[in-house]
Amino acid sequence: MLEPITQGFRPSKIVCVGRNYVDHAKELGNEVPKAPLLFLKAPSAFVVSGEPIVIPRQSQQVEHEAELAIIISKQCRNLRDDDAVEPFIKGFTCLNDVTARDVQRGDVQFTRGKSFDTFCPIGPHIVGGLDTSDLSVICRVNGEVRQQGRTSQMVFPHAYLIRYISRQMTLMPGDVIATGTPAGVSKLNEGDVCEVEIEGIGVLSNPVTAAKD
Ligand code: ZN
């Protein structure tokens, strides 16, 4: 049974992992971190498949980031290295970590550039029991492939991330972990359609519009 992600999905937090694919870290001129680089995205940024990504007036460089997302099933805190993570995973889905790159670069940290309304498309549904060790992660814009990676290229795989994050903050049911993006991020423009496709999950598709107010 696939559980769809519907409008109004509001977990307590979205924990994102930066620079978790070597080729993406390099394309932006960054080193690969020695420990997971964590940041938070505001839950008010969620939209579901089919809803528009709105380019805000504050940015001239809004980019897509195709990512595998983990949905947490139950409260999770202080996991040790040998603790199983499966009981804490509800399932996996596609996520687009939309980023105002110019805003992100201009600020000291990532919050504003990552948290504009509509900057977190997620879905279309949650798939449980998925072997995520080597899945293809693809982003297409207007049907053209822009990002194409595999989850096997992650610096820190999903089990490592769940244990690590659980030691920094309590994960709650429904919380989302975005596991990082492969190389190929590029600018989105008004009128584009951006798709994130992950093997075994499906396609998350969102049109791009410009702010009207
Ligand atoms: Zn990201």
Side-chain angles (χ1 to χ4, degrees):
M1 251 300 268
L2 297 176
E3 180 182 328
I5 294 183
T6 53
Q7 286 176 331
F9 178 63
R10 288 290 182 274
S12 73
K13 54 192 170 292
I14 311 162
V15 187
C16 299
V17 183
R19 303 168 194 164
N20 199 28
Y21 288 77
V22 176
D23 53 354
H24 171 65
K26 284 186 177 158
E27 76 176 340
L28 296 183
N30 295 308
E31 295 293 315
V32 175
K34 293 183 173 56
L37 170 64
L38 304 184
F39 60 92
L40 296 173
K41 226 170 147 75
S44 47
F46 276 126
V47 287
V48 299
S49 194
E51 290 188 297
I53 296 164
V54 180
I55 297 174
R57 295 194 187 285
Q58 294 90 330
S59 177
Q60 308 303 315
Q61 185 71 30
V62 171
E63 298 183 353
H64 54 79
E65 293 190 0
E67 310 202 2
L68 173 73
I70 306 163
I71 312 290
I72 296 296
S73 61
K74 60 181 182 183
Q75 191 171 313
C76 175
R77 186 170 174 272
N78 279 339
L79 294 186
R80 296 169 306 201
D81 289 344
D82 56 353
D83 284 338
V85 297
E86 285 72 22
F88 301 97
I89 300 174
K90 180 171 184 176
F92 300 90
T93 194
C94 308
L95 186 146
N96 194 344
D97 176 19
V98 179
T99 302
R101 197 69 69 198
D102 46 356
V103 172
Q104 180 193 22
R105 288 205 169 108
D107 288 358
V108 174
Q109 41 80 20
F110 295 3
T111 306
R112 194 167 65 98
K114 297 277 191 176
S115 293
F116 288 103
D117 289 358
T118 76
F119 270 28
C120 198
I122 188 167
H125 43 236
I126 302 169
V127 180
L130 191 63
D131 176 359
T132 63
S133 56
D134 188 29
L135 300 175
S136 75
V137 178
I138 294 170
C139 181
R140 283 183 295 266
V141 177
N142 305 328
E144 176 189 299
V145 174
R146 299 278 179 89
Q147 294 182 270
Q148 191 161 27
R150 302 199 68 85
T151 55
S152 51
Q153 298 164 333
M154 284 185 194
V155 178
F156 303 104
H158 82 263
Y160 187 97
L161 293 174
I162 292 170
R163 294 188 189 105
Y164 180 82
I165 295 166
S166 79
R167 294 176 200 139
Q168 323 301 326
M169 62 192 90
T170 300
L171 288 164
M172 301 300 291
D175 278 0
V176 176
I177 299 173
T179 59
T181 200
V185 297
S186 67
K187 186 181 177 186
L188 292 170
N189 296 295
E190 184 177 11
D192 287 345
V193 173
C194 186
E195 294 176 311
V196 175
E197 178 168 9
I198 299 179
E199 188 179 357
I201 297 175
V203 180
L204 168 67
S205 177
N206 299 87
V208 180
T209 63
K212 304 236 174 353
D213 53 0

